Amino acid sequence: MEQDQLDSVLVTAYAKAPQGSAMYEVYKHAGIVLEINSNNHKIINAEFTFITGLAQDFFKRMIIGFDMSSNLEVLVKRIEKHYFAPSTTSVIVALKAAHKRYHEKLKQLEEE
């Protein structure tokens, strides 16, 4: 398969993890990796720098299917409503950075 035939892109972003948290002790940062469908802008896969598989799975279920071309605050509110941890703010900052990077790259590609 040629590279131009891929229907998705990979976007990464990071934020500082809260000191004293397990995430900080292991990774120092909250990292997010999103695979996004290039055609409909929906998240089709995701990974995070969480320590446990349960947290990884929970977050995947919470964000897969989200349309990155829509209002990100909808997803932020979902995270705030369902994820109670010291790293909540760090995860949201990383998600916002990934969202921004995705849209900046889309704009750059349109201008080429």
Side-chain angles (χ1 to χ4, degrees):
M1 174 184 284
E2 289 185 34
Q3 189 175 16
D4 290 342
Q5 294 177 329
L6 291 175
D7 290 331
S8 62
V9 297
L10 207 61
V11 180
T12 65
Y14 300 88
K16 186 173 180 189
Q19 288 188 333
S21 68
M23 181 185 286
Y24 180 82
E25 296 304 320
V26 175
Y27 299 115
K28 305 293 186 229
H29 290 88
I32 185 170
V33 181
L34 302 173
E35 183 180 5
I36 303 169
N37 182 300
S38 303
N39 300 315
N40 64 15
H41 309 289
K42 290 187 178 181
I43 298 171
I44 56 178
N45 206 347
E47 281 193 26
F48 305 88
T49 54
F50 292 130
I51 305 299
T52 67
L54 177 60
Q56 285 274 1
D57 180 63
F58 184 83
F59 249 81
K60 276 186 172 188
R61 289 183 285 122
M62 193 168 18
I63 74 165
I64 287 179
F66 181 78
D67 184 343
M68 290 290 276
S69 67
S70 65
N71 185 353
L72 187 64
E73 285 306 309
V74 171
L75 184 54
V76 168
K77 288 188 186 318
R78 185 185 305 165
I79 292 168
E80 291 172 337
K81 183 177 179 180
H82 296 282
Y83 180 62
F84 310 146
S87 60
T88 302
T89 301
S90 297
V91 169
I92 291 170
V93 168
L95 178 63
K96 286 180 177 181
H99 185 262
K100 181 179 178 186
R101 178 170 287 135
Y102 178 66
H103 285 281
E104 286 174 350
K105 189 63 177 175
L106 285 181
K107 185 177 179 182
Q108 180 185 19
L109 290 171
E110 288 174 2
E111 293 172 355
E112 289 180 356

